[in-house]
Amino acid sequence: MNLPVIIDIIIGLVFIYLTLSLLASEIQELIATVWQWRAEHLKKSIEVLISGGSEGAKDPLQFKRVGQLAHSIYANPIIKDLNQGAKGLLSEGFRSVTHRMGDLYHGVTGTKNVFGNKSSGPSYIPAECFSASLLETLKVSSLLSSISKTRLERFKDLQLAQIKQIGKNLSLQAATKPIIEQEFRWLTAEFNRVVEDYQHNLASLNNSLDRMSEKLGFYIKDSQVYLPETELAGREFQRQMAFVKARFDSKTERVALLGQLQPSFSNLLNTVKKSQDSVAEIMEIKEESPIYQQIQETLDSMPESLKRSLYILAQRAEKGGGDTQEQLQRFQKEIEIWFDQSMERASGVYKRNARGVAILLGTAIAVAANADSIHIINRLSKDSMLRSTVNVYAQQLVENNAKTKLDNLTSLRKVQKDVDIALDEVALPFGWSEQNSLERDAKGNLLWLALISKLFGWILSGVAISMGAAFWFEALNKIINIRNAGKKPPSSTES
């Protein structure tokens, strides 16, 4: 057998594998759609991410928290809006049928619907959508903002109490004391207005401190009019108020003050992890306050594994400094990277699972179609007419789809049309015809050697079909191009 004949046999074999792989791809895509394989695998992968791996599933309480948090993330409009289907009577009818088939599958197999009371979920979630949904579900931004507002309120009360005490300790004349008290009432009203503006998100924290410093400066200046510096009370008041105002104006003091007022998510997670029962004391808030209840709800909704992961990510985000908003933005980016890395691993798991299903499906198709690789090779090697005909159609297929890549259903169906034409014109060497049936002896009994050969041929075909239509289409292109290049006459050059 010469080399051209061997190449023709290989082309014919690859063409047949491509034909059966196209069928397998269609069936596997249909099964994946009906049973929501991609969407279910994505949801389970997110639950694994939240639980910190398989360890998180061992504790029933943590397992419950993982499921509830995953459902909450999926219920967020950011994720919920990703699960959009085509509109129209036909599309909605098909989707309804596939959902009912999925419900039937769960009922028969006894498996639970990972989407809870929903029929389906998105098959793909961008990292930025997951990060935004997680932070919004945990209410991280509003939680940190509320803590910061509570701390500013407490800081204001402490400063006013200190200033009031300074005034009380002064030896004031009877006529001066009411004036100083009136100035203090004005300062109290101004401080309260600054804090109220911050609580209504009308000013930043840094701007609020600048305004407090400005109001304090007016208070000191106006009070000193009635407390001459030459008097002991005036000098003492000026000295003590200088210390108070330095807390606002000194650059180093301002940095330290912002660090105290701006909450750190990593600090919150770490301190509460060490003392879960003293949230109020740690965060300097009252237990009956709404912010205390909000903190408790957020912490109770988070599995311990997620707290550990977010603590590490928050520490990374806080290394760059900046205010709370800047740290939150970097924190969200860290979560996106964390999510992408996890999804890469989940994608590898899905591909391995899909490959296993593809082998089973390919073997089933090989048996159903009686696609015996050994028999196919024998027929192609002995039947020159069949070999030539298959090669002609393989050549046409490559020429008609020279720029096609089998990376979606549309391109698969385009190639399938050309393959269908070939199937109508030529009887490929598979199927349960008499010519392709199992060999029997004179008494009609099956030959065991032939049966073993047939089983081995089916397994070979099943593995080949599982390689996928894209693999065999690319292989067919390369082999035909190599053969055509070998047929070209060598170019002659004149010396």
Side-chain angles (χ1 to χ4, degrees):
M1 190 180 295
N2 54 28
L3 184 61
V5 173
I6 294 175
I7 293 177
D8 287 348
I9 293 172
I10 293 173
I11 291 174
L13 187 63
V14 171
F15 181 81
I16 292 170
Y17 285 157
L18 171 61
T19 301
L20 297 172
S21 296
L22 287 167
L23 175 62
S25 298
E26 289 278 0
I27 294 175
Q28 190 162 2
E29 185 66 30
L30 178 62
I31 294 174
T33 301
V34 172
W35 290 343
Q36 293 280 305
W37 278 353
R38 293 187 184 89
E40 284 198 5
H41 182 76
L42 176 60
K43 178 73 179 294
K44 291 177 181 177
S45 299
I46 289 176
E47 291 179 353
V48 170
L49 175 66
I50 294 173
S51 68
S54 58
E55 295 179 0
K58 295 179 180 179
D59 186 347
L61 176 60
Q62 300 304 316
F63 180 78
K64 182 179 179 181
R65 286 183 177 180
V66 167
Q68 289 175 342
L69 181 57
H71 285 317
S72 298
I73 293 172
Y74 267 64
N76 190 288
I78 298 174
I79 303 297
K80 191 176 180 180
D81 291 345
L82 295 174
N83 188 31
Q84 295 181 352
K87 302 299 182 182
L89 183 62
L90 183 62
S91 299
E92 292 178 358
F94 175 74
R95 190 160 57 250
S96 177
V97 171
T98 58
H99 290 168
R100 298 291 78 77
M101 292 175 67
D103 294 339
L104 178 62
Y105 165 74
H106 290 301
V108 172
T109 59
T111 56
K112 70 171 185 176
N113 181 8
V114 298
F115 305 111
N117 57 356
K118 301 293 183 182
S119 299
S120 63
S123 300
Y124 171 74
I125 297 178
E128 58 271 18
C129 291
F130 172 81
S131 177
S133 177
L134 176 63
L135 293 178
E136 190 172 313
T137 300
L138 296 176
K139 301 177 182 177
V140 170
S141 182
S142 61
L143 178 66
L144 298 181
S145 177
S146 297
I147 295 173
S148 182
K149 291 171 182 177
T150 302
R151 286 181 173 180
L152 182 62
E153 176 80 30
R154 188 172 183 275
F155 172 75
K156 179 260 299 180
D157 292 340
L158 290 174
Q159 297 308 302
L160 288 174
Q162 184 180 3
I163 295 168
K164 185 177 181 179
Q165 188 63 41
I166 291 172
K168 282 185 177 181
N169 293 337
L170 296 175
S171 300
L172 300 176
Q173 298 178 0
T176 306
K177 188 174 181 180
I179 299 174
I180 299 300
E181 290 177 349
Q182 182 179 354
E183 291 294 331
F184 179 75
R185 286 194 295 272
W186 173 84
L187 179 65
T188 300
E190 290 298 311
F191 270 28
N192 286 334
R193 188 164 64 86
V194 170
V195 172
E196 185 178 352
D197 287 346
Y198 179 68
Q199 290 177 339
H200 288 86
N201 301 316
L202 299 177
S204 66
L205 182 59
N206 209 33
N207 177 258
S208 298
L209 294 175
D210 286 339
R211 291 173 63 193
M212 282 185 173
S213 175
E214 183 182 37
K215 305 302 180 185
L216 184 59
F218 290 151
Y219 167 76
I220 296 172
K221 184 177 179 182
D222 292 344
S223 297
Q224 283 177 340
V225 174
Y226 304 98
L227 298 170
E229 294 183 13
T230 55
E231 295 183 7
L232 179 62
R235 290 196 301 271
E236 183 63 19
F237 176 81
Q238 187 177 15
R239 185 183 71 83
Q240 293 192 40
M241 291 306 299
F243 286 116
V244 176
K245 198 167 188 307
R247 187 91 190 271
F248 292 90
D249 297 342
S250 169
K251 289 185 178 180
T252 53
E253 287 290 332
R254 174 63 67 88
V255 172
L257 181 57
L258 286 173
Q260 293 174 8
L261 298 179
Q262 291 181 140
S264 162
F265 191 59
S266 67
N267 179 257
L268 171 64
L269 291 173
N270 192 39
T271 52
V272 173
K273 180 179 65 175
K274 293 178 180 177
S275 183
Q276 180 72 36
D277 298 328
S278 58
V279 176
E281 181 182 347
I282 292 169
M283 303 316 299
E284 301 174 357
I285 56 179
K286 297 178 180 179
E287 290 192 11
E288 62 273 13
S289 65
I291 180 61
Y292 174 80
Q293 301 298 329
Q294 184 182 353
I295 291 174
Q296 286 289 11
E297 288 176 5
T298 299
L299 294 174
D300 290 343
S301 68
M302 297 170 63
E304 292 300 324
S305 55
L306 181 62
K307 291 178 187 177
R308 291 193 296 269
S309 298
L310 293 183
Y311 171 68
I312 295 171
L313 297 177
Q315 278 193 316
R316 293 178 188 171
E318 290 158 13
K319 286 182 180 178
D323 58 22
T324 303
Q325 192 59 36
E326 292 173 340
Q327 291 181 8
L328 268 177
Q329 291 175 354
R330 291 198 297 271
F331 184 38
Q332 185 166 343
K333 288 293 182 184
E334 291 291 340
I335 293 176
E336 291 173 16
I337 296 171
W338 176 56
F339 177 78
D340 279 336
Q341 291 173 344
S342 176
M343 290 305 104
E344 284 181 9
R345 295 191 295 272
S347 177
V349 173
Y350 179 82
K351 287 178 180 177
R352 288 194 296 271
N353 293 340
R355 182 62 189 279
V357 173
I359 291 175
L360 294 176
L361 181 59
T363 304
I365 290 175
V367 174
N370 191 20
D372 173 5
S373 291
I374 297 174
H375 175 73
I376 292 171
I377 294 172
N378 288 334
R379 284 284 309 278
L380 288 172
S381 62
K382 295 175 181 178
D383 193 335
S384 59
M385 181 63 69
L386 173 63
R387 189 169 61 245
S388 300
T389 306
V390 172
N391 271 254
V392 168
Y393 283 108
Q395 179 75 37
Q396 291 177 357
L397 178 66
V398 170
E399 291 175 354
N400 294 340
N401 301 275
K403 297 182 180 180
T404 302
K405 289 186 177 180
L406 300 191
D407 53 0
N408 54 58
L409 280 177
T410 303
S411 57
L412 277 172
R413 284 164 185 165
K414 184 176 182 296
V415 172
Q416 182 68 59
K417 288 181 180 179
D418 291 336
V419 172
D420 289 342
I421 294 173
L423 292 175
D424 291 337
E425 299 296 329
V426 60
L428 294 176
F430 61 81
W432 289 99
S433 63
E434 185 177 349
Q435 191 176 11
N436 300 327
S437 62
L438 292 168
E439 294 184 23
R440 298 175 182 271
D441 59 19
K443 296 181 180 180
N445 297 320
L446 289 175
L447 296 175
W448 285 106
L449 187 60
L451 180 59
I452 293 172
S453 174
K454 180 71 72 175
L455 289 172
F456 184 65
W458 285 339
I459 293 172
L460 282 179
S461 296
V463 174
I465 293 170
S466 71
M467 301 295 289
F471 174 83
W472 292 116
F473 182 72
E474 185 178 351
L476 186 64
N477 270 279
K478 290 180 178 179
I479 295 170
I480 288 181
N481 289 335
I482 292 173
R483 185 192 64 178
N484 292 342
K487 287 183 177 181
K488 289 181 181 180
S491 58
S492 57
T493 56
E494 294 181 2
S495 57

